[in-house]
Structures are given as structure tokens and as C-alpha cells.
């Protein structure tokens, strides 16, 4: 019997560049892996997405400009699940930040600030004086890393910081909205 192909499950912004997505999925298939992120996003999508993530041999975050600029509650839930699976099971997480190709995709880090990889630093403020703004990846690097079964790819800690900063900003904004719509009641 043929051995099962390693499964790759991904998180990405739905409006990401289609040429980049096509290149990534081609690389996954060329590496002999199964792309498991083909499903319809219905009301119960997260249950199905989570099941596939738990069954995956590799988790892939397409940390594109669209992901960064359109970070939503759905991407936040997926990020939380990826982190949980990685911490519990040690499932490899690949953070793919595509290199900018003029005319093809948006420039990376659209706020112009480099992301720091050091675990003790804030997202864009490095205590050690150096920051990580490169390298960005080509889709072929995903394929090469999958073929070699490399246990990690990309700036995992910068992605975690990004998600935490976005989550904190969202909860702060939600609290401000709730306070603004709650009528003052005199005692």
C-alpha cells in the first residue's frame, strides 16, 4: 500500500493574491503533500477547518499583506488554533511572507515597520537594537522545505506578536464601543 501523503493545512486571507495562492498550492503538491484547505466556508467552517488542522502534518500561515491588513475574527480563531496545535503536538508551522513583486502583490509590512523576532520585544520595538524585516519568501521555498521535512519556516514569533497585538487592539476597540453605547445611569 502506498504511504499517505503528508497533509498541509493553511490559514490565509480570502482576498489574497490568486497567483500567489496558486503558486503555493502547486509547491505543496510538487513536494508530494496533500493540500487540505479546500472547503467551503459555511456557518460550521471552523469545526471543519480545525479538524483538518489537527490532522495536518504541517500548518502553513500565508502571512501576506492581505492577511495583515484584513486580519479578522476568523483569522484570529485560526491563529489561536494553530498556536494551540503547535504547542500541544509540536506540529511544524510555516510562516510564509511572500517577497514583493511589483505589479503582482502588495508590498510587505505596509506600515513600513520591521517586525522583531526576539521573544521579549514588542512587535515593532526591538530591545536588542536589531530587527527582522527580511528575508521574504518565494513559494518555491515552501516546496523545498516540505520536501526536506524542515520543522520550521519563517518568522513564527513575529507572527505570534502580530496576532497578539491585533487581538489586543480589537478587544480595546470593542471595549471602547461598548462603553460608548452603554447609557450612563445615575445612582
Amino acid at each position: 500500500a502506498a504511504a499517505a501523503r503528508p497533509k498541509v493545512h493553511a490559514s490565509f486571507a480570502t482576498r489574497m493574491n490568486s497567483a500567489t495562492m496558486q503558486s503555493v498550492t502547486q509547491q505543496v503538491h510538487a513536494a508530494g503533500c496533500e493540500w487540505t484547505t479546500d472547503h467551503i466556508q459555511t456557518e460550521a467552517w471552523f469545526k471543519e477547518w480545525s479538524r483538518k488542522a489537527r490532522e495536518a502534518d504541517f500548518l502553513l500561515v500565508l502571512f501576506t499583506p492581505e492577511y495583515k491588513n484584513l486580519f479578522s475574527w476568523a483569522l484570529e480563531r485560526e491563529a489561536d488554533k494553530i498556536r494551540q496545535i503547535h504547542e500541544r503536538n509540536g506540529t511544524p508551522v510555516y510562516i510564509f511572507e511572500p517577497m514583493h513583486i511589483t505589479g503582482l502583490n502588495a508590498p510587505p509590512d505596509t506600515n513600513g515597520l520591521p517586525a522583531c523576532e526576539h521573544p521579549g520585544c514588542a512587535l515593532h520595538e526591538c530591545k536588542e537594537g536589531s530587527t527582522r524585516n527580511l528575508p521574504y519568501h518565494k513559494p518555491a521555498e515552501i516546496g523545498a522545505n516540505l520536501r526536506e521535512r524542515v520543522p520550521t519556516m519563517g518568522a513564527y514569533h513575529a507572527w505570534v506578536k502580530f496576532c497578539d497585538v491585533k487581538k489586543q487592539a480589537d478587544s480595546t476597540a470593542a471595549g471602547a464601543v461598548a462603553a460608548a453605547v452603554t447609557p450612563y445611569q445615575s445612582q
Side-chain angles (χ1 to χ4, degrees):
R5 296 184 308 156
K7 295 179 180 182
V8 177
H9 199 61
S11 176
F12 55 90
T14 55
R15 293 186 185 144
M16 76 171 277
N17 178 279
S18 61
T20 301
M21 175 62 86
Q22 184 176 8
S23 294
V24 167
T25 56
Q26 286 174 344
Q27 289 297 321
V28 168
H29 291 297
C33 297
E34 179 183 349
W35 177 261
T36 65
T37 316
D38 293 331
H39 57 267
I40 297 171
Q41 197 164 0
T42 63
E43 287 182 24
W45 70 271
F46 189 67
K47 183 177 180 181
E48 178 69 2
W49 188 94
S50 297
R51 180 187 65 77
K52 291 179 177 182
R54 285 189 305 274
E55 294 174 356
D57 299 290
F58 296 90
L59 297 167
L60 173 62
V61 176
L62 302 178
F63 197 35
T64 61
E66 297 86 359
Y67 184 101
K68 295 172 187 179
N69 294 328
L70 302 171
F71 194 74
S72 63
W73 66 270
L75 291 174
E76 182 180 313
R77 290 180 75 189
E78 291 176 0
D80 288 344
K81 182 58 72 176
I82 288 169
R83 289 167 69 177
Q84 178 187 63
I85 292 168
H86 175 67
E87 289 165 12
R88 283 187 184 164
N89 306 337
T91 303
V93 177
Y94 286 12
I95 306 298
F96 172 74
E97 282 187 84
M99 64 185 308
H100 174 60
I101 301 170
T102 304
L104 178 63
N105 58 3
D109 284 335
T110 54
N111 59 10
L113 298 171
C116 176
E117 262 292 280
H118 304 115
C121 300
L123 181 62
H124 297 297
E125 298 173 12
C126 182
K127 295 176 188 173
E128 299 182 27
S130 59
T131 57
R132 184 211 60 80
N133 200 21
L134 293 173
Y136 291 102
H137 307 105
K138 295 178 183 176
E141 292 175 74
I142 294 171
N145 285 324
L146 287 171
R147 276 188 290 284
E148 296 293 321
R149 304 303 186 249
V150 174
T152 173
M153 176 183 142
Y156 178 79
H157 294 292
W159 170 73
V160 167
K161 286 181 194 179
F162 169 85
C163 295
D164 289 346
V165 166
K166 286 292 200 175
K167 189 186 298 189
Q168 179 64 36
D170 289 348
S171 67
T172 301
V177 168
V181 298
T182 304
Y184 175 77
Q185 296 178 356
S186 61
Q187 304 274 320

